[in-house]
Amino acid sequence: MISAGLVTSGLLEIYFHRQESWEHFGLIQKESADATASKIEQFVQEIARTMRAATKTREIVREGLSPDYKWELRRLLVNSPSITAAAGFDLNGVKHAEARRLKPFPSQDKWNSVIHAALEKAKQRQFHFGPVYFPEEGTFPEGAGPYMTIAVPIERFAGEVIGMLVAEIDLKYVGQVISSIHVGKAGHAYLVTGSGQLIAHSDLSLVLQKRNLAQLDQMKAAFQPNSKEPKPIALVTRNLHGEKVFASYALISSLGWAVLTEQPIQEIYVPLYASMLRTSGVLLFGLGVALVATLFVSRRVVRPLETLRQGVERIRQGDLSTRLELQTGDEIQILADEFNEMAAHLREAYSDLERKVAERTQELTTVNEKLVEVSEHKSRFLANVNHELRTPLSSIIGYARLLRRETEGQISLLQRENLKDLLRNAERLLRLIDSLLDFAKIEAGKMEVQLEPVRIEELVQGAAASIEPILNKVAVRLIRDIPSEIAPLYTDREKLRQIILNLLGNAVKFTDRGEIRISASQEDGDFKLAVADTGIGIDKADVHRIFEEFDRGRLINDGSYRGTGLGLAIVKRLVGVLGGSIIVESEVGKGSTFTVTLPFKTREATSL
């Protein structure tokens, strides 16, 4: 983490220092370009002011513009070496006096190209700076540089313009100003026009070649039209030789020129590389210190903590005899001592716990043995009770049926109804004994499952036939909704039959009027059997209680309905034995719907 922090801070320092250095170099080079532009503008303005002084003579005031004015023009040539020729023109463009050096005077066409624009400026008492041009071949000595014209108004009295003084300026003297400018160690400055024409350069041969630099990026940046985006003060680009340079520029608005300064990019990188080297050295030193600190921390802190971790791991694995030997003389040693005490207490507590667990296990074993014995006694008792009760009860049922058949038409109606009630109660008692025995078998886990193909329609038909005798056919309808296309269900026939009988019997018991509907369907590979009635319904608080043994719910505990509360408990357990589930939906006063869901099983799955 320390190394990452140092590396990150070092890289950020290098990045921001680079940005600051670029801005610093850009400002320095921009200032150099501005200073050079100011010198060149002052140089040209000084020539214009000298020409202006030459128009304020006594001859002009006394005689106006005359041929004798040439003497003043010759004096102007002597005082200003950069002026190669001068002439005085009246406001009609007629030349009255001229003076020139040894080389030929500019042709009349050359003058005419600037006289019109110069006259307009002169009438407004303004200076005129003409465009830069190169002399035609044969008119000047070989190697002559670029020229320009300057025109100033000639005033006889203040405000009375009588003509203008036009002078041709040799710009090689501007080149001398450019050559005196040093940009870094290997950089240079040069002067260009708005069209890209090279005017002055430290290498005069480039000027004489009439090079045009309009394609350079620095030229485009200097003369680009005004835009919302600020102009860069410096940029990295290529010079006219294709070399990568750091360039800046400064405009001379009054002349339409620009000074461009360039410095080789390698020269810019030298201080940057030096700064990066210093930063890298500091970074390496910091990394070394961080490494030493890490080793110290590892020796004094990390290793003891790792020892503590290993001790905790051994304790977690159950080795309570673990003890730590740390002699660091600090808080870690105190923590190790506390750890050893904790391990000792844990060992004592674990030993005590083992002893108590052994005692409780022995007690539970004894209790379980007694419970098993009690369960066996209960099963034998229920089996004996079932056998002892079923024998006389079967005899009672048999004799009651025989008596009812043999006394047909021989006894009164009241006696016949009493005999029928006797038979019905005996059969109810027999079913109750069977229910108790089935419930005992389920709880003892002795209920066996016999899988076979079962046609649901036939099973429901038989169950309905058993229920119809106790159904109040006047007030209650029994509706069977069993599609014939349902495939056979592989399950235990008798247990499914008992489920259907219990659900139908339950519905008949609590339905005084309306209907009882039994339906079956196949959904998503499961078999669904639903028994719905329009009986008294079940309170929401009792929905989860009705499947508990001997719990009949609050609505039927008032004695109006008979039963032991075992029917639904047996249904739930039988459904569980068959691998299914049962749910109930009910509303008090509107009836209940019990839905049993059982899985379909193929013959191959059953054989497994």
Side-chain angles (χ1 to χ4, degrees):
M1 292 177 63
I2 296 174
S3 300
L6 289 173
V7 170
T8 302
S9 63
L11 293 177
L12 290 175
E13 175 64 24
I14 292 173
Y15 172 77
F16 287 115
H17 182 71
R18 179 182 180 277
Q19 295 298 110
E20 293 171 357
S21 298
W22 279 119
E23 294 178 2
H24 177 68
F25 293 141
L27 289 174
I28 291 177
Q29 197 152 320
K30 176 66 174 175
E31 291 175 357
S32 176
D34 290 339
T36 304
S38 178
K39 288 183 180 180
I40 293 173
E41 187 175 20
Q42 289 176 6
F43 177 80
V44 175
Q45 293 289 348
E46 183 62 29
I47 295 174
R49 285 193 292 270
T50 302
M51 292 173 60
R52 181 69 170 167
T55 64
K56 299 182 180 298
T57 62
R58 285 182 296 179
E59 289 78 4
I60 291 295
V61 174
R62 187 171 56 248
E63 300 178 6
L65 191 59
S66 65
D68 292 336
Y69 187 59
K70 65 180 180 180
W71 302 107
E72 188 62 34
L73 297 181
R74 290 179 179 176
R75 187 180 301 112
L76 176 62
L77 296 180
V78 172
N79 294 333
S80 298
S82 58
I83 299 178
T84 59
F89 294 84
D90 61 19
L91 294 180
N92 295 320
V94 178
K95 180 169 61 178
H96 290 272
E98 64 178 12
R100 57 182 175 82
R101 297 188 186 278
L102 296 178
K103 59 185 178 181
F105 198 80
S107 64
Q108 188 64 32
D109 293 338
K110 180 65 67 176
W111 287 111
N112 290 338
S113 64
V114 299
I115 284 176
H116 179 72
L119 281 174
E120 294 299 323
K121 289 288 187 70
K123 291 176 183 180
Q124 299 175 14
R125 301 178 66 190
Q126 297 178 0
F127 294 173
H128 174 73
F129 300 97
V132 176
Y133 62 89
F134 283 84
E136 300 175 0
E137 294 184 2
T139 59
F140 285 87
E142 186 178 354
Y147 294 85
M148 70 173 293
T149 57
I150 299 178
V152 299
I154 300 176
E155 299 180 71
R156 188 170 188 178
F157 299 105
E160 183 184 352
V161 179
I162 61 173
M164 64 179 178
L165 173 59
V166 182
E168 183 185 59
I169 311 301
D170 188 351
L171 295 181
K172 70 179 181 181
Y173 292 95
V174 176
Q176 293 176 1
V177 176
I178 290 290
S179 299
S180 65
I181 302 301
H182 298 286
V183 181
K185 295 181 180 180
H188 56 268
Y190 53 93
L191 185 65
V192 293
T193 64
S195 62
Q197 184 66 49
L198 184 62
I199 302 175
H201 196 281
S202 56
D203 186 356
L204 184 60
S205 63
L206 297 177
V207 179
L208 298 179
Q209 291 172 14
K210 302 179 183 179
R211 300 289 292 271
N212 190 287
L213 310 180
Q215 77 282 2
L216 296 183
D217 292 339
Q218 52 267 48
M219 268 289 302
K220 297 175 183 178
F223 290 101
Q224 69 178 354
N226 294 331
S227 62
K228 295 181 180 180
E229 297 182 1
K231 292 184 177 181
I233 61 174
L235 65 158
V236 177
T237 183
R238 297 189 180 276
N239 60 11
L240 55 90
H241 300 298
E243 300 168 345
K244 203 169 185 180
V245 294
F246 189 70
S248 187
Y249 55 86
L251 286 175
I252 306 177
S253 302
S254 59
L255 302 175
W257 299 348
V259 174
L260 303 180
T261 57
E262 294 177 355
Q263 192 173 357
I265 198 67
Q266 293 82 0
E267 187 174 335
I268 298 294
Y269 281 146
V270 169
L272 284 178
Y273 288 151
S275 175
M276 291 172 63
L277 184 62
R278 290 192 299 270
T279 303
S280 300
V282 173
L283 177 60
L284 291 175
F285 176 76
L287 289 176
V289 172
L291 178 60
V292 172
T294 301
L295 293 175
F296 176 77
V297 171
S298 175
R299 188 178 184 86
R300 295 285 298 177
V301 178
V302 177
R303 289 182 183 177
L305 290 179
E306 177 63 20
T307 302
L308 280 172
R309 189 198 66 79
Q310 293 175 357
V312 172
E313 180 67 19
R314 290 196 294 270
I315 289 290
R316 187 184 67 81
Q317 294 175 355
D319 185 7
L320 299 180
S321 62
T322 299
R323 297 294 181 271
L324 302 179
E325 298 295 336
L326 290 177
Q327 301 296 329
T328 58
D330 54 13
E331 288 79 1
I332 296 179
Q333 181 177 347
I334 297 174
L335 180 61
D337 295 339
E338 295 291 336
F339 177 86
N340 292 334
E341 292 183 9
M342 178 195 70
H345 287 302
L346 283 176
R347 185 174 179 81
E348 293 176 2
Y350 184 74
S351 299
D352 186 58
L353 180 62
E354 283 185 332
R355 180 180 56 79
K356 291 181 178 180
V357 168
E359 293 175 357
R360 296 297 185 271
T361 302
Q362 182 61 37
E363 293 175 0
L364 289 175
T365 301
T366 304
V367 172
N368 286 335
E369 291 175 353
K370 291 180 179 179
L371 288 175
V372 171
E373 184 179 354
V374 170
S375 178
E376 291 178 353
H377 286 314
K378 182 189 72 172
S379 299
R380 286 196 298 270
F381 172 77
L382 288 175
N384 292 332
V385 167
N386 179 65
H387 175 71
E388 295 298 332
L389 291 179
R390 284 178 68 89
T391 300
L393 191 57
S394 297
S395 299
I396 293 173
I397 294 173
Y399 282 121
R401 288 175 179 173
L402 178 62
L403 183 60
R404 187 177 62 172
R405 185 171 60 251
E406 293 295 332
T407 58
E408 182 73 29
Q410 300 179 13
I411 59 177
S412 65
L413 181 61
L414 177 60
Q415 291 173 331
R416 186 170 182 82
E417 287 298 325
N418 291 335
L419 186 59
K420 185 178 180 181
D421 188 53
L422 171 65
L423 181 60
R424 184 168 54 251
N425 281 282
E427 290 175 345
R428 178 172 171 269
L429 180 58
L430 183 60
R431 287 195 298 272
L432 178 59
I433 293 172
D434 290 339
S435 297
L436 287 171
L437 186 60
D438 289 341
F439 189 77
K441 287 182 179 180
I442 294 173
E443 282 199 331
K446 296 180 180 181
M447 183 68 71
E448 297 180 355
V449 178
Q450 303 273 342
L451 294 181
E452 58 179 312
V454 178
R455 295 192 63 83
I456 302 303
E457 187 175 6
E458 297 177 358
L459 196 63
V460 171
Q461 185 75 19
S466 301
I467 290 297
E468 283 179 345
I470 62 173
L471 182 68
N472 185 359
K473 296 181 179 180
V474 177
V476 181
R477 273 192 317 163
L478 178 60
I479 300 174
R480 295 184 289 268
D481 183 13
I482 311 298
S484 60
E485 65 272 10
I486 292 183
L489 176 68
Y490 285 88
T491 186
D492 190 305
R493 178 187 298 272
E494 290 304 320
K495 291 178 177 56
L496 182 55
R497 179 176 177 276
Q498 190 172 355
I499 291 172
I500 296 174
L501 283 173
N502 281 351
L503 290 177
L504 286 176
N506 200 65
V508 170
K509 186 187 302 182
F510 300 113
T511 305
D512 295 331
R513 60 181 177 275
E515 67 179 29
I516 298 172
R517 178 182 295 271
I518 179 170
S519 60
S521 63
Q522 183 177 354
E523 297 180 10
D524 300 328
D526 289 332
F527 169 75
K528 290 186 179 295
L529 178 73
V531 176
D533 62 61
T534 57
I536 63 174
I538 305 170
D539 190 87
K540 290 183 179 180
D542 295 333
V543 168
H544 298 290
R545 295 172 47 194
I546 60 174
F547 292 108
E548 298 177 4
E549 56 272 19
F550 308 112
D551 193 326
R552 304 172 66 237
R554 285 175 291 182
L555 293 178
I556 57 178
N557 277 337
D558 57 358
S560 301
Y561 300 94
R562 295 180 298 175
T564 60
L566 284 176
L568 291 179
I570 292 175
V571 167
K572 183 174 179 63
R573 283 161 175 76
L574 288 176
V575 169
V577 169
L578 297 181
S581 61
I582 182 171
I583 60 173
V584 59
E585 298 176 359
S586 182
E587 186 175 350
V588 174
K590 293 186 177 181
S592 305
T593 300
F594 290 84
T595 303
V596 175
T597 302
L598 296 176
F600 273 102
K601 293 185 179 179
T602 62
R603 195 178 296 274
E604 291 76 11
T606 303
S607 64
L608 294 177

